[in-house]
Amino acid sequence: DAKTTQPPSMDCAEGRAANLPCNHSTISGNEYVYWYRQIHSQGPQYIIHGLKNNETNEMASLIITEDRKSSTLILPHATLRDTAVYYCIVRGSNAGNMLTFGGGTRLMVKP
Amino acid sequence: GAVVSQHPSWVICKSGTSVKIECRSLDFQATTMFWYRQFPKQSLMLMATSNEGSKATYEQGVEKDKFLINHASLTLSTLTVTSAHPEDSSFYICSARSPTEAFFGQGTRLTVV
């Protein structure tokens, strides 16, 4: 699976949009971009995933560049409960593939 | 949505004893489950892949005789930390895959004293 690069930490004001970037320049054509987050002392929580098109669900939006070499996770109205480590992961569609976690981005939402 | 349940959420044990951690997929069948370990302020590191009905596959550097994995059914995998020592103290997390995505347990905080 392709390697990802994320900033180690970011701050965001409560109520504002949080935009978390991820670089995955070696992504291959059949690999998806997944986002998970981990709140302190809990297991990772699935947020969203996409292949080529932008995706939106009740938690977030995922914007993938046309060349697929980078993506941005958008939390439209960040709350204090969104403070967590956010992981961007690239993996193939094989159901047997495990998820390989990088360092992630520690998002701190401040009042 | 699909849920993975992990038990216990925390455990304290004496050095030299064994601890069993259970991971259950509650509303889907998982032929493959994964066990991760996470030390403070670090990312999750894959320990092993648990395969239903067959032997687990361990990552390099993970002792298979110390971390026993059993995946006896399509909804249950167990990780037993044998002869635990203080350096085994960590946050252990299991994951089960549905056809579309991976779900994670709540994690087990193991403290060996």
Side-chain angles (χ1 to χ4, degrees):
Chain A
D1 296 331
K3 182 180 171 66
T4 62
T5 303
Q6 298 177 253
S9 64
M10 290 182 64
D11 290 344
C12 177
E14 187 180 19
R16 304 296 294 269
N19 297 282
L20 293 90
C22 180
N23 287 325
H24 32 79
S25 59
T26 61
I27 191 171
S28 60
N30 64 347
E31 289 183 316
Y32 289 75
V33 180
Y34 281 79
W35 283 84
Y36 284 78
R37 72 179 183 184
Q38 186 179 26
I39 295 170
H40 183 62
S41 293
Q42 297 183 24
Q45 176 191 20
Y46 168 82
I47 301 174
I48 199 168
H49 76 282
L51 182 63
K52 295 181 180 179
N53 300 323
N54 298 337
E55 302 289 343
T56 295
N57 62 20
E58 64 277 5
M59 289 184 67
S61 294
L62 174 60
I63 308 298
I64 303 174
T65 58
E66 192 170 343
D67 63 7
R68 303 211 319 126
K69 292 185 177 182
S70 65
S71 61
T72 301
L73 178 74
I74 301 172
L75 308 178
H77 305 286
T79 70
L80 299 179
R81 286 180 293 182
D82 291 322
T83 293
V85 178
Y86 288 76
Y87 295 99
C88 168
I89 300 169
V90 170
R91 61 167 288 277
S93 59
N94 187 326
N97 287 358
M98 74 288 191
L99 295 175
T100 301
F101 288 80
T105 296
R106 186 172 298 274
L107 175 68
M108 180 72 72
V109 180
K110 298 183 175 180
Chain B
V3 176
V4 173
S5 176
Q6 189 173 338
H7 177 81
S9 56
W10 62 271
V11 58
I12 301 173
C13 72
K14 291 184 177 180
S15 187
T17 62
S18 296
V19 173
K20 180 186 284 188
I21 303 170
E22 293 187 349
C23 180
R24 295 180 184 271
S25 56
L26 297 185
D27 55 1
F28 67 98
Q29 294 181 332
T31 55
T32 303
M33 292 186 179
F34 304 95
W35 287 95
Y36 293 83
R37 180 167 54 183
Q38 185 176 33
F39 292 106
K41 298 188 178 181
Q42 295 186 22
S43 188
L44 284 77
M45 295 298 296
L46 180 68
M47 297 176 66
T49 301
S50 171
N51 303 299
E52 188 269 335
S54 65
K55 291 182 178 180
T57 303
Y58 291 81
E59 295 299 300
Q60 189 173 9
V62 178
E63 298 176 57
K64 61 177 179 161
D65 295 330
K66 180 170 184 61
F67 299 99
L68 301 180
I69 292 173
N70 184 280
H71 194 153
S73 76
L74 288 171
T75 59
L76 173 64
S77 175
T78 61
L79 169 68
T80 301
V81 183
T82 63
S83 187
H85 291 284
E87 57 265 31
D88 299 322
S89 298
S90 188
F91 192 53
Y92 292 86
I93 306 167
C94 71
S95 172
R97 292 201 53 82
S98 73
T100 55
E101 60 195 76
F103 298 92
F104 290 83
Q106 307 96 309
T108 298
R109 173 80 55 197
L110 170 63
T111 302
V112 184
V113 298

